[in-house]
Amino acid sequence: MIDDLEYNTEREHLIIPEYGRHLQKMINYAKSRETKEERNKVSKAIISVMGNLQPHLRDVPDFQHKLWDQLFIMADFELDVDSPYGMPSKEEIQARPEPLKYPQNHPKYRFYGNNIKTMIDVAVGWEEGELKEALTFTIANHMKKCFLNWNKDTVEDDVIFDHLFELSGGKINLKNSNEDLSESSSLMRTKSKYGGKGGSGKKSSSKKKYSNNRKRY
């Protein structure tokens, strides 16, 4: 009796395992039928079983087309039947997709991220005025927050202004601005609330603070 046991390691490989081995045996049975009429009859029965096994796909557009394609795939494209959608090409199904083109950016200050550089490039292209000033200070505040997330300490506004000047290719210069960025404590307020140490970021200066409560556009 033990000699009659079958192990999965000794059975044939399942092409689409989620359908199970019984369905694969049904497909092999359909392939063994001599007449096309018999193969068509068995194949339609198999499609009905496949639909019952995956009821969540019934709302997917072209549901039947998907099932017939899977039937041919599990039959290793060796099933000669009359499909309402035709037999798909084996080369097309097994073709490898084109590799994705990932951005190959190697920024000097990685803790700012690529989105900051994109925002800076947009700001550079804007005309001078209140909108551009508001955008540049918003970017600078976000840069300060990114720096604090990386450094976990405090940072002087002059450091952020220097980095912004460098990343903008010298086209955005806030070094002589009479406004300060938001306090480090306010930028790190979320972390301080849960026990993290937010830097005070206070410094004596006659400059006015550029707060997030300023008019937004």
Side-chain angles (χ1 to χ4, degrees), residues 148 152-155 183-202:
L148 293 171
K152 307 294 184 184
D153 201 349
T154 186
V155 58
E183 297 283 358
S184 299
S185 57
S186 65
L187 292 174
M188 303 297 291
R189 186 173 302 164
T190 303
K191 291 194 174 183
S192 299
K193 180 179 179 182
Y194 296 100
K197 295 182 179 180
S200 61
K202 294 182 179 179

Side-chain angles (χ1 to χ4, degrees), residues 11-144:
R11 294 170 175 172
E12 64 175 326
H13 172 69
L14 292 179
I15 300 176
I16 305 183
E18 50 265 36
Y19 281 111
R21 189 165 302 278
H22 292 295
L23 192 68
Q24 185 67 54
K25 290 182 177 180
M26 293 171 63
I27 294 174
N28 294 340
Y29 173 80
K31 290 167 59 176
S32 66
R33 298 299 87 196
E34 297 181 357
T35 65
K36 196 169 190 178
E37 182 179 357
E38 288 183 278
R39 291 193 297 270
N40 286 337
K41 184 178 180 180
V42 176
S43 297
K44 290 179 180 179
I46 294 173
I47 291 294
S48 298
V49 175
M50 292 171 64
N52 292 332
L53 291 175
Q54 300 200 44
H56 60 282
L57 292 177
R58 293 189 184 278
D59 296 330
V60 176
D62 216 358
F63 172 66
Q64 290 292 321
H65 194 172
K66 180 182 179 68
L67 293 181
W68 278 98
D69 285 348
Q70 291 179 337
L71 174 64
F72 285 116
I73 292 173
M74 288 187 289
D76 199 20
F77 302 92
E78 297 176 352
L79 182 60
D80 183 16
V81 293
D82 295 327
S83 168
Y85 309 99
M87 181 184 296
S89 171
K90 184 176 182 179
E91 290 75 17
E92 181 180 354
I93 295 294
Q94 296 180 349
R96 291 178 175 239
E98 293 292 331
L100 294 176
K101 296 181 179 179
Y102 290 98
Q104 300 297 325
N105 296 331
H106 302 284
K108 182 177 181 179
Y109 307 107
R110 296 190 177 184
F111 46 86
Y112 289 135
N114 290 326
N115 289 335
I116 283 290
K117 185 62 174 69
T118 302
M119 294 168 64
I120 292 174
D121 294 339
V122 171
V124 168
W126 282 21
E127 296 181 0
E128 297 294 332
E130 291 186 3
L131 284 176
K132 182 174 182 177
E133 181 185 1
L135 177 60
T136 52
F137 273 94
T138 300
I139 293 174
N141 273 316
H142 193 63
M143 290 174 63
K144 186 174 182 179

Side-chain angles (χ1 to χ4, degrees), residues 1-16:
M1 182 176 178
I2 297 178
D3 295 336
D4 296 332
L5 292 177
E6 291 184 356
Y7 296 93
N8 286 334
T9 54
E10 300 175 350
R11 294 170 175 172
E12 64 175 326
H13 172 69
L14 292 179
I15 300 176
I16 305 183

